[in-house]
Amino acid sequence: MKNSAPKSNLHFADVCCKVFGHNYKKSRTVTSYITEYRCTRCNAEATTDEKGNLLKLTPQLKDINETLIYLCKKKRSAAASI
Ligand SMILES: [Zn+2]
């Protein structure tokens, strides 16, 4: 016999985050003014923009942050070699 009740994809952590909001902890510093955060309950990711606003970390923003890290490292190594 098959269970006809629909399976819920909502977990307790998701419900807590929807009710109380995410509990973000800093996960990575991208630059001195851009930081990535991860929710300790549901693992949702967020990042700050150049104005300090908190945004959901989309694949596009993740790519931008990776590029920023690469450029900062390149800038630092170029400055160190002079
Ligand atoms: Zn959350």
Side-chain angles (χ1 to χ4, degrees):
M1 186 172 144
K2 236 179 175 182
N3 187 359
S4 62
K7 281 189 175 179
S8 173
N9 288 333
L10 279 179
H11 297 284
F12 181 70
D14 295 329
V15 174
C16 282
C17 288
K18 284 189 188 300
V19 174
F20 302 113
H22 294 289
N23 184 28
Y24 286 121
K25 295 284 182 198
K26 187 168 150 183
S27 62
R28 183 164 69 157
T29 301
V30 177
T31 65
S32 59
Y33 53 90
I34 295 179
T35 309
E36 288 182 0
Y37 297 92
R38 181 183 297 268
C39 178
T40 57
R41 285 188 293 250
C42 70
N43 289 328
E45 291 181 304
T47 185
T48 52
D49 64 5
E50 71 279 0
K51 294 177 183 170
N53 300 318
L54 199 61
L55 306 169
K56 183 180 175 187
L57 189 60
T58 61
Q60 290 84 12
L61 286 174
K62 206 164 193 158
D63 283 348
I64 290 169
N65 286 352
E66 291 294 333
T67 305
L68 280 172
I69 290 169
Y70 171 76
L71 291 174
C72 284
K73 278 182 186 171
K74 201 148 179 99
K75 184 179 171 186
R76 265 188 249 129
S77 67
S81 65
I82 294 175

